[in-house]
Amino acid sequence: MRTLGLTGGIGSGKSTAAGLLAARGASIVDADALSRATTAAGGPAIPAIAQAFGPDFISADGALDRERMRRLVFEQPAARHRLEAIVHPLVRAATDAAADEARRAGAALLVFDVPLLVESGHWSDRVDRVLVIDCEVATQLARVLARSALDEATVRRIVASQASRIERRRAADFVVFNDGLDITQLDVALGAIARSMGL
C-alpha cells in the first residue's frame, strides 16, 4: 500500500481533491475530522482540555468551544502548543488505526488528508509522497468567505497562521495549482498523480 499526504491552505480545494481521489478508489484518512472527533461532546480530549484551560472552554453540550479556543490560540501562541499536546497524540493513534484498517482491506493507495501536514512536522516518516493543493491567497479568501460565516479578518489570520505557499510547495513531491481549474481539470491532474502512486 502506497501512502500520500494531501495538504493545502484553507480554501485551496484540498477537500474537493480528497473527494476526487476517493472516487478513483483511494482510501482517505481525514485527520481534521478525526481531530474534531477528539474535541466533540464526549471526545477523549475533553477532560484534558477542561483541566488545562478551564471549564469555560467546554460548551454546554460538552464539546470544545471552538470559537473561544480559536480566539485564545490567535492571542497566545503558547496556548496552541498546549492544545496540540493534548490533541495530536489522540489524532496520531486514530490515524494509525485507520491506516491499519485500510491496509487490512487491501487498499492500493492511502491518502492522509492533513490540513497542517507541513506545520506539524510529524508526517515525513508516515507518507511516501506529499501532494500540495495550491492557489493564490486572494482565491483562498474568496472561497472561504463565500462558504462560511467567518469575517475577512478572521480568515486572514487563519491563512497567516498556516504554512506559507512557499513552505508547502517546498515540502511537496506533487503540486496542483488549483486556481481557475474546473472540477474536470482538477480530476485529470489528480488522476495522473494517483496513477503514479499505483492506483
Side-chain angles (χ1 to χ4, degrees), residues 4-21 111-115 117-118 130-136 139-140 143 162-165 168-169 171-179 181 185-187 189-191 193:
L4 179 67
L6 169 64
T7 194
I10 187 171
S12 65
K14 178 185 59 59
S15 296
T16 300
L20 292 170
L21 288 167
V111 177
F112 289 102
D113 178 354
V114 187
L117 184 147
V118 174
V130 172
L131 165 59
V132 168
I133 307 299
D134 184 39
C135 67
E136 298 286 354
T139 303
Q140 292 180 262
R143 286 173 178 163
Q162 296 181 338
S164 70
R165 291 178 63 207
R168 275 193 295 268
R169 291 171 75 103
D173 297 288
F174 308 108
V175 176
V176 173
F177 185 63
N178 185 30
D179 215 326
L181 296 184
Q185 292 168 322
L186 178 59
D187 186 46
L190 293 169
I193 292 167

mmCIF file of all heavy atoms in Angstrom, residues 4-21 111-115 117-118 130-136 139-140 143 162-165 168-169 171-179 181 185-187 189-191 193:
data_model
loop_
_atom_site.group_PDB
_atom_site.id
_atom_site.type_symbol
_atom_site.label_atom_id
_atom_site.label_comp_id
_atom_site.label_asym_id
_atom_site.label_seq_id
_atom_site.Cartn_x
_atom_site.Cartn_y
_atom_site.Cartn_z
ATOM 1 N N LEU A 4 0.032 8.671 0.574
ATOM 2 C CA LEU A 4 0.156 10.019 0.041
ATOM 3 C C LEU A 4 -0.363 11.006 1.070
ATOM 4 O O LEU A 4 -1.489 10.871 1.556
ATOM 5 C CB LEU A 4 -0.661 10.139 -1.252
ATOM 6 C CG LEU A 4 -0.680 11.495 -1.959
ATOM 7 C CD1 LEU A 4 0.706 11.839 -2.512
ATOM 8 C CD2 LEU A 4 -1.720 11.489 -3.080
ATOM 9 N N GLY A 5 0.447 11.992 1.416
ATOM 10 C CA GLY A 5 -0.001 13.069 2.275
ATOM 11 C C GLY A 5 -0.600 14.174 1.427
ATOM 12 O O GLY A 5 0.058 14.673 0.511
ATOM 13 N N LEU A 6 -1.835 14.548 1.699
ATOM 14 C CA LEU A 6 -2.540 15.585 0.954
ATOM 15 C C LEU A 6 -2.713 16.800 1.854
ATOM 16 O O LEU A 6 -3.255 16.684 2.958
ATOM 17 C CB LEU A 6 -3.909 15.070 0.502
ATOM 18 C CG LEU A 6 -4.894 16.091 -0.074
ATOM 19 C CD1 LEU A 6 -4.361 16.696 -1.380
ATOM 20 C CD2 LEU A 6 -6.262 15.442 -0.290
ATOM 21 N N THR A 7 -2.253 17.973 1.391
ATOM 22 C CA THR A 7 -2.390 19.164 2.210
ATOM 23 C C THR A 7 -2.584 20.391 1.337
ATOM 24 O O THR A 7 -2.448 20.337 0.112
ATOM 25 C CB THR A 7 -1.167 19.338 3.145
ATOM 26 O OG1 THR A 7 -1.462 20.312 4.144
ATOM 27 C CG2 THR A 7 0.090 19.739 2.382
ATOM 28 N N GLY A 8 -2.930 21.479 1.981
ATOM 29 C CA GLY A 8 -3.161 22.746 1.305
ATOM 30 C C GLY A 8 -3.758 23.718 2.299
ATOM 31 O O GLY A 8 -4.344 23.313 3.309
ATOM 32 N N GLY A 9 -3.611 24.997 2.022
ATOM 33 C CA GLY A 9 -4.151 26.006 2.918
ATOM 34 C C GLY A 9 -5.672 26.028 2.891
ATOM 35 O O GLY A 9 -6.311 25.456 1.999
ATOM 36 N N ILE A 10 -6.255 26.704 3.856
ATOM 37 C CA ILE A 10 -7.701 26.854 3.905
ATOM 38 C C ILE A 10 -8.187 27.455 2.584
ATOM 39 O O ILE A 10 -7.591 28.378 2.039
ATOM 40 C CB ILE A 10 -8.107 27.735 5.112
ATOM 41 C CG1 ILE A 10 -9.623 27.770 5.279
ATOM 42 C CG2 ILE A 10 -7.515 29.144 5.007
ATOM 43 C CD1 ILE A 10 -10.081 28.442 6.567
ATOM 44 N N GLY A 11 -9.255 26.870 2.040
ATOM 45 C CA GLY A 11 -9.810 27.386 0.796
ATOM 46 C C GLY A 11 -9.064 26.983 -0.464
ATOM 47 O O GLY A 11 -9.383 27.454 -1.556
ATOM 48 N N SER A 12 -8.099 26.084 -0.341
ATOM 49 C CA SER A 12 -7.304 25.690 -1.515
ATOM 50 C C SER A 12 -8.030 24.705 -2.419
ATOM 51 O O SER A 12 -7.701 24.559 -3.595
ATOM 52 C CB SER A 12 -5.966 25.072 -1.073
ATOM 53 O OG SER A 12 -6.193 23.861 -0.363
ATOM 54 N N GLY A 13 -9.016 24.006 -1.861
ATOM 55 C CA GLY A 13 -9.689 22.943 -2.604
ATOM 56 C C GLY A 13 -9.206 21.563 -2.226
ATOM 57 O O GLY A 13 -9.483 20.586 -2.926
ATOM 58 N N LYS A 14 -8.517 21.464 -1.110
ATOM 59 C CA LYS A 14 -7.967 20.184 -0.655
ATOM 60 C C LYS A 14 -9.061 19.146 -0.416
ATOM 61 O O LYS A 14 -8.910 17.979 -0.794
ATOM 62 C CB LYS A 14 -7.168 20.408 0.629
ATOM 63 C CG LYS A 14 -6.570 19.157 1.241
ATOM 64 C CD LYS A 14 -5.910 19.462 2.570
ATOM 65 C CE LYS A 14 -6.870 20.056 3.551
ATOM 66 N NZ LYS A 14 -8.040 19.182 3.855
ATOM 67 N N SER A 15 -10.161 19.562 0.195
ATOM 68 C CA SER A 15 -11.235 18.611 0.473
ATOM 69 C C SER A 15 -11.871 18.110 -0.823
ATOM 70 O O SER A 15 -12.237 16.932 -0.938
ATOM 71 C CB SER A 15 -12.302 19.254 1.366
ATOM 72 O OG SER A 15 -11.745 19.573 2.633
ATOM 73 N N THR A 16 -12.011 18.994 -1.804
ATOM 74 C CA THR A 16 -12.516 18.573 -3.114
ATOM 75 C C THR A 16 -11.563 17.554 -3.733
ATOM 76 O O THR A 16 -11.997 16.539 -4.297
ATOM 77 C CB THR A 16 -12.672 19.788 -4.040
ATOM 78 O OG1 THR A 16 -13.591 20.707 -3.447
ATOM 79 C CG2 THR A 16 -13.169 19.374 -5.420
ATOM 80 N N ALA A 17 -10.270 17.823 -3.622
ATOM 81 C CA ALA A 17 -9.266 16.895 -4.153
ATOM 82 C C ALA A 17 -9.369 15.543 -3.461
ATOM 83 O O ALA A 17 -9.282 14.495 -4.114
ATOM 84 C CB ALA A 17 -7.865 17.478 -3.976
ATOM 85 N N ALA A 18 -9.565 15.544 -2.150
ATOM 86 C CA ALA A 18 -9.706 14.279 -1.425
ATOM 87 C C ALA A 18 -10.906 13.499 -1.941
ATOM 88 O O ALA A 18 -10.845 12.275 -2.125
ATOM 89 C CB ALA A 18 -9.841 14.543 0.072
ATOM 90 N N GLY A 19 -12.010 14.197 -2.193
ATOM 91 C CA GLY A 19 -13.199 13.534 -2.706
ATOM 92 C C GLY A 19 -12.964 12.923 -4.081
ATOM 93 O O GLY A 19 -13.431 11.814 -4.368
ATOM 94 N N LEU A 20 -12.239 13.626 -4.932
ATOM 95 C CA LEU A 20 -11.942 13.111 -6.267
ATOM 96 C C LEU A 20 -11.021 11.900 -6.201
ATOM 97 O O LEU A 20 -11.193 10.930 -6.958
ATOM 98 C CB LEU A 20 -11.319 14.218 -7.126
ATOM 99 C CG LEU A 20 -12.268 15.368 -7.499
ATOM 100 C CD1 LEU A 20 -11.486 16.515 -8.129
ATOM 101 C CD2 LEU A 20 -13.362 14.883 -8.445
ATOM 102 N N LEU A 21 -10.045 11.932 -5.295
ATOM 103 C CA LEU A 21 -9.160 10.773 -5.132
ATOM 104 C C LEU A 21 -9.928 9.582 -4.582
ATOM 105 O O LEU A 21 -9.698 8.435 -4.989
ATOM 106 C CB LEU A 21 -7.995 11.139 -4.217
ATOM 107 C CG LEU A 21 -6.952 12.080 -4.831
ATOM 108 C CD1 LEU A 21 -6.015 12.630 -3.756
ATOM 109 C CD2 LEU A 21 -6.153 11.376 -5.925
ATOM 110 N N VAL A 111 -4.586 7.869 1.359
ATOM 111 C CA VAL A 111 -4.349 9.311 1.355
ATOM 112 C C VAL A 111 -4.639 9.862 2.747
ATOM 113 O O VAL A 111 -5.761 9.742 3.248
ATOM 114 C CB VAL A 111 -5.236 10.025 0.311
ATOM 115 C CG1 VAL A 111 -5.028 11.539 0.381
ATOM 116 C CG2 VAL A 111 -4.938 9.502 -1.093
ATOM 117 N N PHE A 112 -3.620 10.446 3.356
ATOM 118 C CA PHE A 112 -3.799 11.150 4.616
ATOM 119 C C PHE A 112 -4.114 12.611 4.289
ATOM 120 O O PHE A 112 -3.250 13.340 3.807
ATOM 121 C CB PHE A 112 -2.540 11.088 5.480
ATOM 122 C CG PHE A 112 -2.252 9.736 6.068
ATOM 123 C CD1 PHE A 112 -1.288 8.915 5.519
ATOM 124 C CD2 PHE A 112 -2.939 9.297 7.188
ATOM 125 C CE1 PHE A 112 -1.009 7.670 6.066
ATOM 126 C CE2 PHE A 112 -2.672 8.059 7.751
ATOM 127 C CZ PHE A 112 -1.707 7.243 7.189
ATOM 128 N N ASP A 113 -5.350 13.019 4.514
ATOM 129 C CA ASP A 113 -5.805 14.387 4.278
ATOM 130 C C ASP A 113 -5.505 15.192 5.548
ATOM 131 O O ASP A 113 -6.194 15.046 6.560
ATOM 132 C CB ASP A 113 -7.312 14.348 3.968
ATOM 133 C CG ASP A 113 -7.915 15.721 3.758
ATOM 134 O OD1 ASP A 113 -7.228 16.738 3.948
ATOM 135 O OD2 ASP A 113 -9.110 15.776 3.408
ATOM 136 N N VAL A 114 -4.442 16.004 5.494
ATOM 137 C CA VAL A 114 -3.936 16.666 6.705
ATOM 138 C C VAL A 114 -3.757 18.169 6.431
ATOM 139 O O VAL A 114 -2.784 18.566 5.777
ATOM 140 C CB VAL A 114 -2.591 16.069 7.161
ATOM 141 C CG1 VAL A 114 -2.169 16.663 8.508
ATOM 142 C CG2 VAL A 114 -2.655 14.557 7.242
ATOM 143 N N PRO A 115 -4.660 19.018 6.921
ATOM 144 C CA PRO A 115 -4.531 20.450 6.651
ATOM 145 C C PRO A 115 -3.185 21.033 7.091
ATOM 146 O O PRO A 115 -2.611 21.870 6.385
ATOM 147 C CB PRO A 115 -5.677 21.066 7.463
ATOM 148 C CG PRO A 115 -6.677 19.961 7.593
ATOM 149 C CD PRO A 115 -5.882 18.692 7.677
ATOM 150 N N LEU A 117 -0.228 19.443 7.588
ATOM 151 C CA LEU A 117 0.833 18.447 7.402
ATOM 152 C C LEU A 117 2.218 19.086 7.478
ATOM 153 O O LEU A 117 3.110 18.593 8.167
ATOM 154 C CB LEU A 117 0.635 17.727 6.073
ATOM 155 C CG LEU A 117 1.595 16.589 5.733
ATOM 156 C CD1 LEU A 117 0.875 15.527 4.920
ATOM 157 C CD2 LEU A 117 2.807 17.077 4.955
ATOM 158 N N VAL A 118 2.417 20.178 6.770
ATOM 159 C CA VAL A 118 3.731 20.834 6.746
ATOM 160 C C VAL A 118 4.050 21.442 8.108
ATOM 161 O O VAL A 118 5.178 21.331 8.610
ATOM 162 C CB VAL A 118 3.774 21.911 5.640
ATOM 163 C CG1 VAL A 118 5.075 22.701 5.694
ATOM 164 C CG2 VAL A 118 3.610 21.262 4.272
ATOM 165 N N VAL A 130 4.132 13.642 -0.862
ATOM 166 C CA VAL A 130 3.266 14.734 -0.393
ATOM 167 C C VAL A 130 2.696 15.461 -1.609
ATOM 168 O O VAL A 130 3.432 15.862 -2.514
ATOM 169 C CB VAL A 130 4.041 15.728 0.504
ATOM 170 C CG1 VAL A 130 3.191 16.964 0.820
ATOM 171 C CG2 VAL A 130 4.485 15.049 1.794
ATOM 172 N N LEU A 131 1.383 15.635 -1.604
ATOM 173 C CA LEU A 131 0.667 16.386 -2.635
ATOM 174 C C LEU A 131 0.136 17.669 -2.018
ATOM 175 O O LEU A 131 -0.598 17.626 -1.026
ATOM 176 C CB LEU A 131 -0.491 15.554 -3.196
ATOM 177 C CG LEU A 131 -1.553 16.287 -4.023
ATOM 178 C CD1 LEU A 131 -0.941 16.962 -5.245
ATOM 179 C CD2 LEU A 131 -2.670 15.327 -4.416
ATOM 180 N N VAL A 132 0.498 18.802 -2.600
ATOM 181 C CA VAL A 132 0.011 20.103 -2.145
ATOM 182 C C VAL A 132 -0.974 20.650 -3.162
ATOM 183 O O VAL A 132 -0.677 20.702 -4.361
ATOM 184 C CB VAL A 132 1.179 21.090 -1.943
ATOM 185 C CG1 VAL A 132 0.665 22.525 -1.762
ATOM 186 C CG2 VAL A 132 2.017 20.686 -0.737
ATOM 187 N N ILE A 133 -2.153 21.039 -2.683
ATOM 188 C CA ILE A 133 -3.120 21.771 -3.498
ATOM 189 C C ILE A 133 -2.878 23.248 -3.205
ATOM 190 O O ILE A 133 -3.002 23.699 -2.065
ATOM 191 C CB ILE A 133 -4.569 21.372 -3.160
ATOM 192 C CG1 ILE A 133 -4.744 19.846 -3.229
ATOM 193 C CG2 ILE A 133 -5.538 22.075 -4.108
ATOM 194 C CD1 ILE A 133 -4.463 19.237 -4.577
ATOM 195 N N ASP A 134 -2.517 23.978 -4.231
ATOM 196 C CA ASP A 134 -2.059 25.357 -4.079
ATOM 197 C C ASP A 134 -2.998 26.310 -4.818
ATOM 198 O O ASP A 134 -3.638 25.929 -5.800
ATOM 199 C CB ASP A 134 -0.633 25.463 -4.643
ATOM 200 C CG ASP A 134 -0.017 26.831 -4.450
ATOM 201 O OD1 ASP A 134 -0.222 27.433 -3.377
ATOM 202 O OD2 ASP A 134 0.661 27.303 -5.378
ATOM 203 N N CYS A 135 -3.076 27.541 -4.334
ATOM 204 C CA CYS A 135 -3.783 28.592 -5.062
ATOM 205 C C CYS A 135 -3.352 29.935 -4.481
ATOM 206 O O CYS A 135 -2.703 29.998 -3.437
ATOM 207 C CB CYS A 135 -5.304 28.425 -4.984
ATOM 208 S SG CYS A 135 -6.002 28.658 -3.338
ATOM 209 N N GLU A 136 -3.739 31.001 -5.150
ATOM 210 C CA GLU A 136 -3.418 32.340 -4.670
ATOM 211 C C GLU A 136 -4.167 32.627 -3.371
ATOM 212 O O GLU A 136 -5.280 32.129 -3.154
ATOM 213 C CB GLU A 136 -3.816 33.389 -5.722
ATOM 214 C CG GLU A 136 -3.092 33.260 -7.055
ATOM 215 C CD GLU A 136 -1.650 33.725 -6.998
ATOM 216 O OE1 GLU A 136 -1.229 34.252 -5.953
ATOM 217 O OE2 GLU A 136 -0.945 33.560 -8.009
ATOM 218 N N THR A 139 -7.620 33.896 -3.779
ATOM 219 C CA THR A 139 -8.593 32.839 -4.076
ATOM 220 C C THR A 139 -9.024 32.139 -2.792
ATOM 221 O O THR A 139 -10.217 31.831 -2.611
ATOM 222 C CB THR A 139 -7.990 31.823 -5.065
ATOM 223 O OG1 THR A 139 -7.580 32.516 -6.243
ATOM 224 C CG2 THR A 139 -8.994 30.744 -5.430
ATOM 225 N N GLN A 140 -8.067 31.876 -1.900
ATOM 226 C CA GLN A 140 -8.414 31.288 -0.601
ATOM 227 C C GLN A 140 -9.448 32.150 0.114
ATOM 228 O O GLN A 140 -10.456 31.643 0.622
ATOM 229 C CB GLN A 140 -7.167 31.170 0.291
ATOM 230 C CG GLN A 140 -6.136 30.166 -0.164
ATOM 231 C CD GLN A 140 -4.949 30.130 0.791
ATOM 232 O OE1 GLN A 140 -3.930 30.753 0.537
ATOM 233 N NE2 GLN A 140 -5.094 29.426 1.885
ATOM 234 N N ARG A 143 -12.948 32.041 -1.529
ATOM 235 C CA ARG A 143 -13.652 30.766 -1.338
ATOM 236 C C ARG A 143 -14.173 30.622 0.085
ATOM 237 O O ARG A 143 -15.311 30.199 0.311
ATOM 238 C CB ARG A 143 -12.716 29.600 -1.662
ATOM 239 C CG ARG A 143 -12.456 29.419 -3.151
ATOM 240 C CD ARG A 143 -11.398 28.358 -3.379
ATOM 241 N NE ARG A 143 -11.163 28.117 -4.801
ATOM 242 C CZ ARG A 143 -10.095 27.500 -5.280
ATOM 243 N NH1 ARG A 143 -9.166 27.045 -4.457
ATOM 244 N NH2 ARG A 143 -9.947 27.334 -6.576
ATOM 245 N N GLN A 162 -1.071 29.571 9.054
ATOM 246 C CA GLN A 162 -0.693 28.337 8.369
ATOM 247 C C GLN A 162 0.645 28.523 7.658
ATOM 248 O O GLN A 162 1.140 29.631 7.509
ATOM 249 C CB GLN A 162 -1.781 27.946 7.361
ATOM 250 C CG GLN A 162 -3.114 27.615 8.019
ATOM 251 C CD GLN A 162 -4.184 27.215 7.022
ATOM 252 O OE1 GLN A 162 -4.109 27.535 5.842
ATOM 253 N NE2 GLN A 162 -5.185 26.488 7.501
ATOM 254 N N ALA A 163 1.222 27.418 7.224
ATOM 255 C CA ALA A 163 2.456 27.485 6.442
ATOM 256 C C ALA A 163 2.220 28.351 5.207
ATOM 257 O O ALA A 163 1.116 28.407 4.671
ATOM 258 C CB ALA A 163 2.896 26.090 6.022
ATOM 259 N N SER A 164 3.259 29.019 4.771
ATOM 260 C CA SER A 164 3.133 29.833 3.564
ATOM 261 C C SER A 164 3.064 28.942 2.329
ATOM 262 O O SER A 164 3.411 27.755 2.372
ATOM 263 C CB SER A 164 4.326 30.777 3.443
ATOM 264 O OG SER A 164 5.508 30.029 3.146
ATOM 265 N N ARG A 165 2.628 29.519 1.230
ATOM 266 C CA ARG A 165 2.596 28.760 -0.021
ATOM 267 C C ARG A 165 3.993 28.242 -0.359
ATOM 268 O O ARG A 165 4.149 27.100 -0.810
ATOM 269 C CB ARG A 165 2.067 29.640 -1.150
ATOM 270 C CG ARG A 165 0.593 29.991 -1.014
ATOM 271 C CD ARG A 165 0.157 30.897 -2.151
ATOM 272 N NE ARG A 165 0.288 30.195 -3.427
ATOM 273 C CZ ARG A 165 0.487 30.810 -4.582
ATOM 274 N NH1 ARG A 165 0.590 32.124 -4.642
ATOM 275 N NH2 ARG A 165 0.575 30.109 -5.700
ATOM 276 N N ARG A 168 4.850 25.205 1.846
ATOM 277 C CA ARG A 168 4.139 23.995 1.433
ATOM 278 C C ARG A 168 4.718 23.438 0.136
ATOM 279 O O ARG A 168 4.926 22.234 0.004
ATOM 280 C CB ARG A 168 2.642 24.279 1.273
ATOM 281 C CG ARG A 168 1.861 24.173 2.572
ATOM 282 C CD ARG A 168 0.370 24.147 2.328
ATOM 283 N NE ARG A 168 -0.099 25.402 1.770
ATOM 284 C CZ ARG A 168 -0.548 26.418 2.488
ATOM 285 N NH1 ARG A 168 -0.589 26.335 3.804
ATOM 286 N NH2 ARG A 168 -0.967 27.518 1.899
ATOM 287 N N ARG A 169 4.968 24.312 -0.823
ATOM 288 C CA ARG A 169 5.497 23.837 -2.105
ATOM 289 C C ARG A 169 6.892 23.224 -1.930
ATOM 290 O O ARG A 169 7.237 22.262 -2.620
ATOM 291 C CB ARG A 169 5.526 24.986 -3.112
ATOM 292 C CG ARG A 169 4.137 25.437 -3.553
ATOM 293 C CD ARG A 169 4.183 26.705 -4.383
ATOM 294 N NE ARG A 169 4.664 26.431 -5.709
ATOM 295 C CZ ARG A 169 3.903 26.346 -6.792
ATOM 296 N NH1 ARG A 169 2.598 26.517 -6.699
ATOM 297 N NH2 ARG A 169 4.423 26.097 -7.971
ATOM 298 N N ALA A 171 7.845 21.476 0.507
ATOM 299 C CA ALA A 171 7.679 20.142 1.100
ATOM 300 C C ALA A 171 7.025 19.153 0.145
ATOM 301 O O ALA A 171 6.925 17.966 0.449
ATOM 302 C CB ALA A 171 6.835 20.244 2.371
ATOM 303 N N ALA A 172 6.583 19.628 -1.029
ATOM 304 C CA ALA A 172 5.749 18.813 -1.911
ATOM 305 C C ALA A 172 6.563 17.956 -2.875
ATOM 306 O O ALA A 172 7.613 18.368 -3.360
ATOM 307 C CB ALA A 172 4.826 19.722 -2.710
ATOM 308 N N ASP A 173 6.038 16.773 -3.137
ATOM 309 C CA ASP A 173 6.504 15.961 -4.266
ATOM 310 C C ASP A 173 5.656 16.259 -5.501
ATOM 311 O O ASP A 173 6.133 16.162 -6.628
ATOM 312 C CB ASP A 173 6.402 14.471 -3.918
ATOM 313 C CG ASP A 173 7.302 14.107 -2.754
ATOM 314 O OD1 ASP A 173 8.528 14.088 -2.945
ATOM 315 O OD2 ASP A 173 6.769 13.860 -1.648
ATOM 316 N N PHE A 174 4.370 16.589 -5.269
ATOM 317 C CA PHE A 174 3.444 16.964 -6.336
ATOM 318 C C PHE A 174 2.746 18.258 -5.928
ATOM 319 O O PHE A 174 2.385 18.417 -4.759
ATOM 320 C CB PHE A 174 2.356 15.897 -6.553
ATOM 321 C CG PHE A 174 2.855 14.499 -6.749
ATOM 322 C CD1 PHE A 174 2.691 13.544 -5.759
ATOM 323 C CD2 PHE A 174 3.465 14.124 -7.943
ATOM 324 C CE1 PHE A 174 3.128 12.243 -5.927
ATOM 325 C CE2 PHE A 174 3.908 12.821 -8.132
ATOM 326 C CZ PHE A 174 3.746 11.884 -7.126
ATOM 327 N N VAL A 175 2.539 19.147 -6.889
ATOM 328 C CA VAL A 175 1.775 20.376 -6.650
ATOM 329 C C VAL A 175 0.711 20.494 -7.736
ATOM 330 O O VAL A 175 1.009 20.368 -8.924
ATOM 331 C CB VAL A 175 2.670 21.637 -6.671
ATOM 332 C CG1 VAL A 175 1.816 22.902 -6.511
ATOM 333 C CG2 VAL A 175 3.735 21.574 -5.584
ATOM 334 N N VAL A 176 -0.524 20.717 -7.308
ATOM 335 C CA VAL A 176 -1.598 21.053 -8.249
ATOM 336 C C VAL A 176 -2.014 22.479 -7.964
ATOM 337 O O VAL A 176 -2.453 22.793 -6.844
ATOM 338 C CB VAL A 176 -2.801 20.093 -8.109
ATOM 339 C CG1 VAL A 176 -3.964 20.574 -8.982
ATOM 340 C CG2 VAL A 176 -2.406 18.673 -8.486
ATOM 341 N N PHE A 177 -1.846 23.355 -8.947
ATOM 342 C CA PHE A 177 -2.227 24.754 -8.796
ATOM 343 C C PHE A 177 -3.709 24.873 -9.135
ATOM 344 O O PHE A 177 -4.101 24.849 -10.301
ATOM 345 C CB PHE A 177 -1.379 25.652 -9.700
ATOM 346 C CG PHE A 177 -1.639 27.116 -9.498
ATOM 347 C CD1 PHE A 177 -1.369 27.724 -8.283
ATOM 348 C CD2 PHE A 177 -2.156 27.885 -10.528
ATOM 349 C CE1 PHE A 177 -1.615 29.073 -8.089
ATOM 350 C CE2 PHE A 177 -2.401 29.236 -10.349
ATOM 351 C CZ PHE A 177 -2.126 29.832 -9.123
ATOM 352 N N ASN A 178 -4.523 24.952 -8.092
ATOM 353 C CA ASN A 178 -5.971 24.873 -8.225
ATOM 354 C C ASN A 178 -6.587 26.270 -8.234
ATOM 355 O O ASN A 178 -7.394 26.623 -7.388
ATOM 356 C CB ASN A 178 -6.544 24.032 -7.077
ATOM 357 C CG ASN A 178 -8.035 23.801 -7.223
ATOM 358 O OD1 ASN A 178 -8.549 23.748 -8.325
ATOM 359 N ND2 ASN A 178 -8.719 23.683 -6.098
ATOM 360 N N ASP A 179 -6.178 27.054 -9.193
ATOM 361 C CA ASP A 179 -6.698 28.413 -9.327
ATOM 362 C C ASP A 179 -7.206 28.542 -10.757
ATOM 363 O O ASP A 179 -6.412 28.600 -11.694
ATOM 364 C CB ASP A 179 -5.586 29.431 -9.060
ATOM 365 C CG ASP A 179 -6.087 30.676 -8.371
ATOM 366 O OD1 ASP A 179 -7.215 31.077 -8.651
ATOM 367 O OD2 ASP A 179 -5.342 31.249 -7.555
ATOM 368 N N LEU A 181 -9.029 26.171 -12.199
ATOM 369 C CA LEU A 181 -9.350 24.846 -12.726
ATOM 370 C C LEU A 181 -10.830 24.542 -12.491
ATOM 371 O O LEU A 181 -11.363 24.845 -11.420
ATOM 372 C CB LEU A 181 -8.521 23.758 -12.037
ATOM 373 C CG LEU A 181 -7.007 23.768 -12.199
ATOM 374 C CD1 LEU A 181 -6.415 22.539 -11.513
ATOM 375 C CD2 LEU A 181 -6.605 23.822 -13.656
ATOM 376 N N GLN A 185 -10.813 19.440 -14.872
ATOM 377 C CA GLN A 185 -9.368 19.674 -14.989
ATOM 378 C C GLN A 185 -8.642 19.244 -13.720
ATOM 379 O O GLN A 185 -7.557 18.649 -13.782
ATOM 380 C CB GLN A 185 -9.114 21.153 -15.282
ATOM 381 C CG GLN A 185 -9.584 21.593 -16.650
ATOM 382 C CD GLN A 185 -9.593 23.101 -16.800
ATOM 383 O OE1 GLN A 185 -9.924 23.830 -15.874
ATOM 384 N NE2 GLN A 185 -9.220 23.574 -17.987
ATOM 385 N N LEU A 186 -9.252 19.528 -12.562
ATOM 386 C CA LEU A 186 -8.648 19.109 -11.300
ATOM 387 C C LEU A 186 -8.584 17.590 -11.229
ATOM 388 O O LEU A 186 -7.561 17.013 -10.825
ATOM 389 C CB LEU A 186 -9.450 19.672 -10.121
ATOM 390 C CG LEU A 186 -8.983 19.293 -8.719
ATOM 391 C CD1 LEU A 186 -7.537 19.736 -8.467
ATOM 392 C CD2 LEU A 186 -9.911 19.882 -7.660
ATOM 393 N N ASP A 187 -9.650 16.932 -11.657
ATOM 394 C CA ASP A 187 -9.692 15.471 -11.623
ATOM 395 C C ASP A 187 -8.631 14.868 -12.541
ATOM 396 O O ASP A 187 -7.979 13.876 -12.185
ATOM 397 C CB ASP A 187 -11.084 14.991 -12.023
ATOM 398 C CG ASP A 187 -11.241 13.487 -11.858
ATOM 399 O OD1 ASP A 187 -10.826 12.959 -10.812
ATOM 400 O OD2 ASP A 187 -11.775 12.847 -12.782
ATOM 401 N N ALA A 189 -5.735 16.202 -13.383
ATOM 402 C CA ALA A 189 -4.431 16.397 -12.738
ATOM 403 C C ALA A 189 -4.227 15.388 -11.616
ATOM 404 O O ALA A 189 -3.140 14.799 -11.468
ATOM 405 C CB ALA A 189 -4.321 17.823 -12.196
ATOM 406 N N LEU A 190 -5.265 15.162 -10.826
ATOM 407 C CA LEU A 190 -5.162 14.214 -9.715
ATOM 408 C C LEU A 190 -5.062 12.782 -10.216
ATOM 409 O O LEU A 190 -4.372 11.953 -9.610
ATOM 410 C CB LEU A 190 -6.370 14.365 -8.788
ATOM 411 C CG LEU A 190 -6.451 15.691 -8.038
ATOM 412 C CD1 LEU A 190 -7.805 15.832 -7.360
ATOM 413 C CD2 LEU A 190 -5.325 15.810 -7.007
ATOM 414 N N GLY A 191 -5.715 12.495 -11.332
ATOM 415 C CA GLY A 191 -5.650 11.152 -11.890
ATOM 416 C C GLY A 191 -4.238 10.763 -12.272
ATOM 417 O O GLY A 191 -3.804 9.627 -12.030
ATOM 418 N N ILE A 193 -1.505 11.874 -10.925
ATOM 419 C CA ILE A 193 -0.758 11.647 -9.688
ATOM 420 C C ILE A 193 -1.141 10.292 -9.086
ATOM 421 O O ILE A 193 -0.275 9.528 -8.639
ATOM 422 C CB ILE A 193 -1.006 12.800 -8.700
ATOM 423 C CG1 ILE A 193 -0.381 14.089 -9.243
ATOM 424 C CG2 ILE A 193 -0.453 12.472 -7.316
ATOM 425 C CD1 ILE A 193 -0.819 15.349 -8.522
#
